[in-house]
Amino acid sequence: MTVLEAIQKSADFLAKKGVESARLNAELLLAHQLKLPRMKLYLNFARTLTPPETDGLRELVKRRGLREPLQHITGATAFCGHEIAANRHALVPRPETELLAELGWQFLQGRPALPNHLASALDFGTGTGCLAIALAAKCPTAHVTALDISAEALVLARQNAVQNQVAERMEFLQGDGFAALAGNHGDSRGRSPHRFDLILSNPPYIATAEIATLEPEVRDFDPRAALDGGVDGLDFYRRLAAEAKAFLKPDGKIMVEFGDGQAAAIQTIFETEKWIVEVVREDYSQRARILVAKSSSSSSS
Ligand SMILES: C[S@@+](CC[C@H](N)C(=O)[O-])C[C@H]1O[C@@H](n2cnc3c(N)ncnc32)[C@H](O)[C@@H]1O
């Protein structure tokens, strides 16, 4: 079988299994099997695959046909120009989340550089660490704390930070929300020693009953804890709005990603907790997806 025939056959199989962009998936799987950049396949259409290459491809295509995410099969994805390893223990980073990373690093880069005072950020629910790593990479003097309830996700996040050479400016904390920060006891009045310039989060935001209706790649392979936002999908925004101020510097900001159609409810949640909502940002498909807010006690914007 030639490269071109392998692509066509795999693409037909994947299309029948309901995989979106079947041809692209087939090309990426073959490129992964042959350890070639995808574009190189086009120069090798007539090359005949060896029997081990054919067997290897068949295995990969079979997995994809069972709707295992491409990124789990190839083991990685790209996020803000960084290679991020992906597996079953963390949500596969989504391209739209890059916008949250960008807003975050633009804010951190604008923080005044004071002696003995590094800008700091908290990534609440870090998963693969993609957001935290992008911040640390773009803000070379910042310190970034990556927090998650999943110990397995944190192992992956740390590996990704090491691979991307930012781990020495990062801290990885496991626990249920802000309780993860409680180990570093606050002062005598219970105030946290952790005060961040920026709290960033792409929390779980799918309503529990909706999870069953999602595409198999998400429903069956992203960790449930990365998806489930409670009965109405908004549990984590309530927690963030109620608890985050205690962990933010007075002029710090919170930036959260949310799902399509949740903007108004989330704005209300934050305003009810006396945050000043600065902006609700749309993604590249003109859907409102990110809220930026500051504490009402803050004096500057
Ligand atoms: C939607 S995923 C986002 C992952 C990553 N930040 C990204 O954007 O790709 C949400 C993350 O929140 C974590 N999480 C869920 N419940 C949590 C909790 N109670 N405390 C801390 N993290 C939690 C999940 O394990 C998951 O990694």
Side-chain angles (χ1 to χ4, degrees):
M1 185 163 53
T2 65
V3 163
L4 183 58
E5 286 163 349
I7 292 171
Q8 286 167 339
K9 207 169 156 206
S10 305
D12 288 348
F13 174 81
L14 293 177
K16 282 198 197 99
K17 295 289 179 184
V19 172
E20 236 182 71
S21 309
R23 164 95 187 200
L24 177 62
N25 272 262
E27 290 181 3
L28 289 167
L29 289 172
L30 181 55
H32 179 70
Q33 173 63 38
L34 300 181
K35 299 188 175 59
L36 286 176
R38 179 168 75 94
M39 286 305 156
K40 280 260 166 80
L41 296 178
Y42 289 74
L43 304 173
N44 287 284
F45 273 166
R47 148 142 138 55
T48 302
L49 299 188
T50 65
E53 286 169 349
T54 308
D55 290 347
L57 177 67
R58 189 177 299 116
E59 199 47 44
L60 300 181
V61 171
K62 196 167 132 198
R63 286 171 65 185
R64 189 70 188 98
L66 293 169
R67 306 296 294 272
E68 186 173 346
L70 179 72
Q71 299 87 345
H72 287 187
I73 300 172
T74 62
T77 191
F79 186 85
C80 294
H82 302 282
E83 184 168 307
I84 301 290
N87 65 28
R88 270 182 174 268
H89 297 306
L91 187 97
V92 173
R94 310 294 203 255
E96 57 270 25
T97 302
E98 292 183 340
L99 184 59
L100 179 59
E102 197 178 325
L103 291 177
W105 80 58
Q106 283 169 355
F107 173 66
L108 272 191
Q109 285 170 350
R111 299 295 279 172
L114 303 171
N116 302 324
H117 182 93
L118 299 181
S120 61
L122 170 70
D123 177 16
F124 181 108
T126 198
T128 56
C130 58
L131 282 165
I133 289 165
L135 288 183
K138 287 286 182 185
C139 306
T141 58
H143 186 271
V144 183
T145 300
L147 176 166
D148 208 287
I149 198 164
S150 160
E152 293 92 344
L154 285 170
V155 168
L156 182 63
R158 190 189 294 274
Q159 281 167 5
N160 278 324
V162 169
Q163 282 301 319
N164 284 283
Q165 297 168 358
V166 291
E168 69 285 354
R169 281 182 295 108
M170 291 181 64
E171 177 183 22
F172 299 86
L173 297 178
Q174 191 208 348
D176 183 354
F178 290 107
L181 298 167
N184 306 50
H185 305 292
D187 63 16
S188 56
R189 289 155 66 193
R191 286 183 304 205
S192 167
H194 278 100
R195 288 269 182 176
F196 301 97
D197 293 276
L198 172 67
I199 296 179
L200 201 72
S201 186
N202 174 21
Y205 56 67
I206 312 289
T208 308
E210 245 178 67
I211 294 175
T213 69
L214 299 175
E215 289 294 323
E217 285 86 346
V218 181
R219 184 191 65 209
D220 301 337
F221 292 94
D222 277 327
R224 177 99 183 181
L227 303 175
D228 195 342
V231 173
D232 62 359
L234 303 175
D235 280 2
F236 283 91
Y237 303 97
R238 289 190 199 92
R239 287 177 67 173
L240 285 161
E243 299 170 33
K245 266 185 219 159
F247 299 91
L248 206 55
K249 290 181 188 161
D251 56 349
K253 287 191 186 176
I254 188 164
M255 301 184 182
V256 294
E257 181 173 324
F258 49 81
D260 194 15
Q262 294 178 324
I266 286 165
Q267 182 155 357
T268 303
I269 288 171
F270 276 85
E271 285 173 350
T272 304
E273 291 289 346
K274 310 263 182 295
W275 293 83
I276 296 175
V277 174
E278 287 196 329
V279 68
V280 174
R281 277 289 299 263
E282 293 179 345
D283 64 14
Y284 298 114
S285 323
Q286 279 72 55
R287 289 176 300 201
R289 296 298 302 277
I290 293 173
L291 175 138
V292 177
K294 63 180 179 179
S295 158
S296 51
S297 57
S298 132
S299 52
S300 66
S301 60

